[in-house]
Amino acid sequence: MSLTLGTGSVESAPPTAVRTRRTVRLDPRTKILLVLSSSFVVMAPGGQPFVPAAVVLGVLLALTERAWARALGLPLAASGVAAVAYLLPVALPHPAVGIVAVAAAFALRFVAVGGVALHLVHTTRPTELTAALRAARVPRAITVSGAVMLRFLPAIVAEARAVRDAMRLRGIGGWSGLLRHPLRSIEHFAVPLIASTLRVAEDLSASALLRGLGAATRPTTMRPPRFGAADAAAVLVVAVLAAVTLLSGAVR
Amino acid sequence: MAVQETRTERRIDLRMTPKDLINIGVFGALYLVMVYAITMLGFINPAVMLVSLVASIVAGAIPFMLFLTRVRHAGMVTIFAIVTSGILALTGHPPISFAITIVCALAAEAMLLAGGYRSSRMSVLAYAVYSAWYVGPMMPIFYARDDYFSSPAMRQMGPDYTAQMEAVLSPAVLIAFDVSTVVFGLLGGLLGLRLLRKHFRRAGLA
Amino acid sequence: MIRVEAVRWTYAGADTPTLDGLHLHVRQGETVVLCGPSGSGKSTALRLMNGLIPHFHEGELDGAVHVDGLAVAGTPLERLGRRTGTVLQHPRRQFFTDSTETELAFALENFGEPPQHIRERVAAAIDEHGLAAFTDRRLQELSGGQQQQVACAAAAAHRPPLLLFDEPTSNLSTAAIERFTATLRRLRAAGATIVIAEHRLHYLHGLADRVVAMRDGRVDAEWPGEEFATLDDEALRARGLRARTAPERTRPLPAYAHGPSIDHDATPSAPSGAGLTLRALRCAFRGRRVLAIDEAHLPAGVITAITGPNGAGKTTLARIVTGLQRHDGEVLLDGRPLKPARRLRESAIVMQDVQRQLFTDSVEAELRLGVPPGAELEERSRTLLADLDLEPFGDRHPLSLSGGQQQRLVVAAARLSGRRIVVFDEPSSGVDRRHLRSITGIMRDLAADGAVVLLISHDDELLAHATQQELRLRPLDGHRDPDVDHPTKRPGWYGMGK
């Protein structure tokens, strides 16, 4: 459940990634910091009271990139999930409902952090992310393999779709197959997916290696990330949100 | 095949070639897509949510086991864990999940090391151990349950209800969940091993 | 510049060497074309020159290779990479980033050039290679020809003295090949040493200083450029080479079709008979319409080419007729409306990357997959395998076969299960003359069996050989692709004033 939340947003990144509008642009390092710090606070024990602050942050970020649908959808989704978590058991006090409610209380935190993460995913190209990690002095082994992984995620998703098409044409796809022969279905999906991915990977790896990927020289960046006024403003906003949460006395 | 030759001279050191790093990235992406695609099925149809979670553990073993045949250096599984769970952390997974994944990866590396990075039995065990990371994203449910039960809405619910719910979220359930991921990881590892022999070796990919 | 001496190379896992006794010298500033039938070792020879052998591909190497004075085996790949630029067969597969600018900067960044310098170089490369028109678009959205331009510019951005091209035109249309030729000419004039491994030879006329024909992993024959130009087709065929002259681009008849997506006039009367009929077909992704055909007929027993620029909806049409894609409108087979689920069972696609559709662990199992067993099945599959030269491979793992054999296996499976609609998606990329004929033969056999055969391809040679009629599509947003010639633009209306 949580996994789909995570990688799902990665998959949807590429179509919008290139969009360059005149909007407030944060340094990718700031965006990473926003995600990690809100995740750290909200997911911690006693993090529940910080959920509204994180949602507000997510909405503000959505507004800066003019993602109106998300700016509206995020608080709606959060309040919907919160209602299931807190109001539904009061209306229907049954253990089965209780389990759903507990799951919803858990999902609420994912929604709150997810709103902030979506901003990172939608406004940061893989190359910018890699440059940001490099600028943050993350070791080469991680930036190189991370960059390769980001490059391959959309390519493999495309391969997976093609394999699914091929399975449907051969009459070995679909629900009944998965339920009757789960292992065989996994095999029929995995073997062609891996084989075709590795074939695609061979060309790309060769080309990247020849163009110096992972070379011993310290790599540079065409446009190094720079902190600006927007980043200072973001830090200020986060400080205000945290202060309001703490002062409202919700935290014991 | 000539693969045999490279396998015997497999060195265990920490210096990785650019090619190794590319391998980590490619298999990291394959692992995420495999796991994601299968979990997605459960998302479409809630009735099979648990089945698909289990299936994703089993399916993730296939790229993982193939990845292990290409591990030439200690630390490759750890970097694999850092980049895959790192990207999940950047999309909103709890930080503790990242930490758990790294611990699982280190444990898996220890098993691989014990098998000299060659033993297929140890590879299966390594995947099973690695699969224990699945508990990571669920952790907040358990460690932050007091948040929930002490909320104003829950305080109206009466002690019986709260006690029932707390039982569902007890450490025993957590342990049971974790043990079952390891068991399914074991099954997945065995399937991965079988497919390695049935397909990837014969196709010259392992 | 390049000295290859007595090289013998065997890929890990292969029984026989791919290169055996290869000698080849290339002088500074020379343009050399390597040709020969597939499996003759052309691409492998290129890998020797950029160091992918022995640094990336595994295997056993004997002999000596020197590039720009460096012993390849003892030099790290990144140092060789500074001296060489390589363009592989599928440009879109070698892109590491998603935009032109970042792709051009990629090598410079990895080699640690200062940012200011990178920006200047990238701007200069965009200028030189004429990429300014599409720097704001995603690389995946560009046409094959534009992608090729970007790949060339990216390989040359760090100004390496040696440029290597591996079948650079295998996915290009005639117009794109012309632009590629201009790029080559410019790089050559700038003093680069160029080596091209290629099946197609017609466009290299006047560019090559030397043509080297390879066979069985060594040099079979060698001609200076001018002398090669005088050889006749007969002499070429004897060495397994494709025609040197550009294929006569005879346009096949337009298919009966009309609607916004159709880029030609409808033939006057609607043909009838067996085959696919499309009515009021509409398809949209995320609210954007990508395909609109009012009516079309694709007859059985005929090979129909589906052509048009990227984004015209070729793949979408193929997915609709095979039942993979939701749509509005009606699709009829032999006059009866068929729901998508039924069409799935009547269709097969031979995908561009056939590995995506090989599921089992042996050739025979692959044939039997998804087909109800029966006594005659055994016999039919045996004859089919014999027909397609696959008989000796019954027990082999499908993924261990060559690309051409994998393609034939997929076709065999489609024929065995009696599929009536068979789509070929770019089946000729990187295929030599002999293979091209065998693909054409397979398509004809399928058509003769009464199937509706659809071919999506940019390969003019294949289109000219194989197709009887053409369904040409155009993008709906009015965007025109520079890679496609538009011979049907009505000159009459505009030419009258002259």
Side-chain angles (χ1 to χ4, degrees):
Chain A
M1 174 170 55
S2 44
L3 273 170
T4 48
L5 253 176
T7 39
S9 34
V10 170
E11 187 210 349
S12 59
T16 42
V18 168
R19 211 169 42 186
T20 40
R21 297 189 198 146
R22 280 203 315 145
T23 48
V24 187
R25 299 279 293 171
L26 293 176
D27 185 304
R29 285 170 292 180
T30 308
K31 291 186 263 188
I32 293 173
L33 200 67
L34 290 180
V35 175
L36 294 184
S37 54
S38 44
S39 171
F40 198 79
V41 174
V42 170
M43 293 291 182
Q48 194 92 2
F50 287 93
V51 165
V55 172
V56 170
L57 180 61
V59 171
L60 290 177
L61 289 171
L63 291 177
T64 63
E65 56 168 307
R66 298 165 189 244
W68 311 128
R70 190 183 340 137
L72 200 67
L74 187 59
L76 283 179
S79 22
V81 176
V84 174
Y86 294 101
L87 303 180
L88 195 63
V90 179
L92 272 171
H94 185 275
V97 175
I99 291 174
V100 173
V102 168
F106 162 66
L108 180 58
R109 297 179 189 222
F110 268 94
V111 172
V113 180
V116 183
L118 278 177
H119 176 72
L120 172 71
V121 167
H122 279 262
T123 58
T124 317
R125 292 194 207 174
T127 40
E128 290 174 331
L129 188 66
T130 311
L133 293 178
R134 259 187 221 155
R137 317 240 155 215
V138 171
R140 183 186 69 124
I142 294 166
T143 53
V144 171
S145 47
V148 172
M149 187 179 73
L150 288 175
R151 167 61 179 81
F152 269 98
L153 278 174
I156 297 175
V157 169
E159 292 294 326
R161 292 218 171 97
V163 170
R164 196 193 53 189
D165 280 357
M167 288 175 75
R168 288 173 66 197
L169 283 164
R170 284 299 277 278
I172 52 173
W175 285 106
S176 55
L178 185 67
L179 292 177
R180 263 182 301 158
H181 310 287
L183 290 187
R184 203 183 301 162
S185 298
I186 291 175
E187 176 180 342
H188 285 159
F189 177 66
V191 171
L193 178 67
I194 292 175
S196 65
T197 298
L198 290 184
R199 198 184 125 86
V200 174
E202 186 160 308
D203 279 6
L204 184 76
S205 313
S207 161
L209 286 172
L210 287 172
R211 291 188 288 155
L213 183 71
T217 334
R218 202 182 145 70
T220 50
T221 306
M222 176 167 57
R223 296 200 174 77
R226 267 208 309 247
F227 290 115
D231 301 287
V235 172
L236 199 67
V237 167
V238 170
V240 169
L241 285 172
V244 169
T245 307
L246 289 168
L247 289 176
S248 69
V251 178
R252 282 155 294 143
Chain B
M1 281 206 278
V3 185
Q4 222 61 40
E5 181 190 49
T6 47
R7 200 166 291 138
T8 46
E9 67 185 31
R10 190 179 278 174
R11 289 174 312 160
I12 312 299
D13 64 28
L14 284 164
R15 272 173 315 152
M16 287 181 212
T17 63
K19 195 178 164 188
D20 292 328
L21 298 177
I22 288 178
N23 258 329
I24 295 173
V26 171
F27 279 95
L30 261 173
Y31 177 77
L32 285 180
V33 172
M34 267 321 270
V35 166
Y36 161 73
I38 309 252
T39 322
M40 217 26 211
L41 293 174
F43 210 61
I44 298 164
N45 186 344
V48 291
M49 182 108 68
L50 261 180
V51 178
S52 67
L53 196 67
V54 166
S56 80
I57 299 177
V58 175
I62 302 167
F64 195 91
M65 294 297 285
L66 186 53
F67 172 63
L68 291 185
T69 67
R70 300 186 173 206
V71 172
R72 301 272 162 84
H73 304 283
M76 275 178 79
V77 177
T78 313
I79 294 180
F80 177 95
I82 292 175
V83 292
T84 52
S85 64
I87 194 73
L88 292 178
L90 290 185
T91 56
H93 272 223
I96 186 147
S97 182
F98 181 80
I100 289 176
T101 312
I102 305 304
V103 171
C104 293
L106 290 172
E109 292 243 16
M111 314 212 115
L112 292 173
L113 190 66
Y117 281 83
R118 264 181 276 171
S119 146
S120 36
R121 201 176 307 158
M122 280 303 177
S123 298
V124 173
L125 283 179
Y127 181 70
V129 169
Y130 187 73
S131 299
W133 79 266
Y134 263 74
V135 79
M138 312 285 178
M139 284 303 283
I141 300 193
F142 296 98
Y143 66 62
R145 56 194 183 138
D146 289 346
D147 276 23
Y148 182 65
F149 293 115
S150 61
S151 68
M154 284 304 113
R155 262 176 275 167
Q156 310 169 15
M157 294 302 295
D160 283 358
Y161 179 83
T162 317
Q164 266 180 335
M165 284 297 108
E166 295 217 17
V168 172
L169 300 181
S170 67
V173 172
L174 182 68
I175 290 166
F177 181 81
D178 215 15
V179 168
S180 57
T181 60
V182 173
V183 169
F184 286 113
L186 216 52
L187 280 177
L190 290 172
L191 174 73
L193 197 62
R194 200 170 77 87
L195 295 190
L196 214 55
R197 290 182 182 139
K198 184 177 169 192
H199 291 286
F200 300 118
R201 291 247 157 86
R202 290 180 60 202
L205 291 171
Chain C
M1 191 69 189
I2 304 172
R3 287 206 329 267
V4 177
E5 268 143 18
V7 164
R8 180 188 163 97
W9 164 260
T10 314
Y11 282 105
D15 313 324
T16 51
T18 308
L19 297 178
D20 198 356
L22 178 68
H23 288 269
L24 188 65
H25 288 213
V26 178
R27 286 187 306 276
Q28 177 127 26
E30 202 179 11
T31 299
V32 173
V33 176
L34 298 179
C35 55
S38 62
S40 61
K42 306 186 289 292
S43 302
T44 307
L46 286 189
R47 290 171 178 171
L48 219 49
M49 298 172 193
N50 56 24
L52 287 177
I53 288 177
H55 297 294
F56 181 71
H57 296 281
E58 284 172 22
E60 219 177 296
L61 177 67
D62 291 322
V65 183
H66 289 266
V67 170
D68 205 6
L70 296 172
V72 166
T75 312
L77 204 50
E78 45 171 299
R79 270 188 74 197
L80 292 166
R82 286 171 191 261
R83 288 171 170 74
T84 58
T86 305
V87 178
L88 304 171
Q89 209 182 102
H90 301 276
R92 103 193 120 80
R93 279 194 191 163
Q94 59 192 297
F95 292 144
F96 199 86
T97 72
D98 60 358
S99 79
T100 303
E101 267 202 337
T102 47
E103 191 62 28
L104 297 187
F106 185 75
L108 297 162
E109 291 183 338
N110 289 327
F111 291 139
E113 299 284 334
Q116 177 61 32
H117 187 205
I118 298 178
R119 290 195 288 268
E120 286 163 13
R121 277 281 182 87
V122 168
I126 287 176
D127 216 40
E128 281 163 30
H129 292 262
L131 312 177
F134 41 86
T135 43
D136 56 340
R137 284 172 58 203
R138 284 159 49 79
L139 291 177
Q140 285 85 338
E141 291 168 6
L142 302 181
S143 70
Q146 291 168 332
Q147 289 178 337
Q148 181 72 285
Q149 281 177 276
V150 175
C152 290
H158 57 293
R159 311 249 159 108
L162 173 62
L163 288 165
L164 306 168
F165 295 88
D166 192 359
E167 297 182 17
T169 65
S170 57
N171 291 309
L172 298 190
S173 66
T174 311
I177 290 178
E178 274 165 27
R179 259 177 303 132
F180 174 67
T181 315
T183 304
L184 275 184
R185 200 162 279 138
R186 206 173 45 244
L187 292 168
R188 182 171 179 253
T193 308
I194 298 173
V195 181
I196 308 168
E198 189 53 293
H199 287 302
R200 285 181 179 170
L201 300 171
H202 57 79
Y203 74 94
L204 293 162
H205 182 74
L207 260 171
D209 297 312
R210 200 143 52 98
V211 177
V212 175
M214 291 186 62
R215 184 183 289 256
D216 302 330
R218 69 182 69 139
V219 174
D220 182 34
E222 208 176 308
W223 305 271
E226 313 88 64
E227 194 186 321
F228 183 75
T230 62
L231 297 179
D232 58 5
D233 271 11
E234 204 51 52
L236 293 175
R237 204 169 301 137
R239 303 200 182 270
L241 305 178
R242 279 211 200 180
R244 193 190 54 240
T245 45
E248 202 59 32
R249 183 73 169 99
T250 46
R251 286 245 169 224
L253 292 172
Y256 171 77
H258 54 92
S261 280
I262 306 296
D263 198 18
H264 52 70
D265 300 326
T267 43
S269 66
S272 54
L276 272 171
T277 307
L278 317 176
R279 277 192 201 137
L281 216 59
R282 296 287 183 274
C283 185
F285 295 132
R286 291 183 187 171
R288 222 195 76 197
R289 178 164 290 176
V290 292
L291 190 70
I293 296 175
D294 293 338
E295 196 176 9
H297 184 73
L298 307 168
V302 169
I303 302 168
T304 305
I306 301 178
T307 60
N310 279 13
K314 302 188 292 288
T315 308
T316 308
L317 179 60
R319 296 188 80 238
I320 288 175
V321 298
T322 51
L324 287 166
Q325 175 70 48
R326 282 170 195 227
H327 62 95
D328 290 334
E330 229 183 354
V331 177
L332 302 91
L333 183 61
D334 303 340
R336 279 194 313 277
L338 276 193
K339 288 220 158 64
R342 283 281 292 126
R343 295 206 297 277
L344 271 175
R345 273 180 274 153
E346 293 289 350
S347 311
I349 299 183
V350 181
M351 295 179 168
Q352 196 174 351
D353 298 301
V354 272
Q355 291 86 355
R356 293 164 171 178
Q357 48 193 147
L358 298 171
F359 302 98
T360 62
D361 63 340
S362 76
V363 167
E364 277 169 9
E366 195 64 36
L367 284 181
R368 261 179 260 124
L369 180 70
V371 182
E376 53 171 331
L377 183 74
E378 285 291 314
E379 205 186 303
R380 281 192 59 209
S381 65
R382 210 167 306 126
T383 33
L384 255 176
L385 287 181
D387 272 4
L388 297 173
D389 289 337
L390 290 170
E391 212 172 15
F393 305 110
D395 292 333
R396 281 272 290 271
H397 196 287
L399 290 171
S400 69
L401 301 177
S402 77
Q405 290 166 337
Q406 291 179 348
Q407 239 175 17
R408 296 206 293 277
L409 176 56
V410 171
V411 172
R415 277 175 73 177
L416 200 62
S417 50
R419 307 282 166 140
R420 289 286 318 281
I421 306 164
V422 183
V423 179
F424 287 79
D425 187 2
E426 302 279 3
S428 69
S429 51
V431 151
D432 66 15
R433 189 172 197 141
R434 196 169 54 85
H435 241 105
L436 201 65
R437 267 200 305 259
S438 109
I439 295 169
T440 317
I442 289 166
M443 286 193 288
R444 292 219 177 98
D445 288 349
L446 279 166
D449 276 0
V452 178
V453 181
L454 304 177
L455 167 66
I456 300 176
S457 178
H458 287 104
D459 186 333
D460 290 333
E461 218 170 323
L462 178 64
L463 288 172
H465 280 294
T467 58
Q468 286 124 309
Q469 64 166 31
E470 179 181 21
L471 181 71
R472 196 160 60 249
L473 300 176
R474 64 177 165 211
L476 287 174
D477 52 13
H479 158 75
R480 272 188 178 261
D481 191 303
D483 286 2
V484 174
D485 349 299
H486 292 281
T488 52
K489 262 191 283 185
R490 284 148 292 179
W493 295 98
Y494 299 99
M496 273 194 322
K498 286 189 182 167

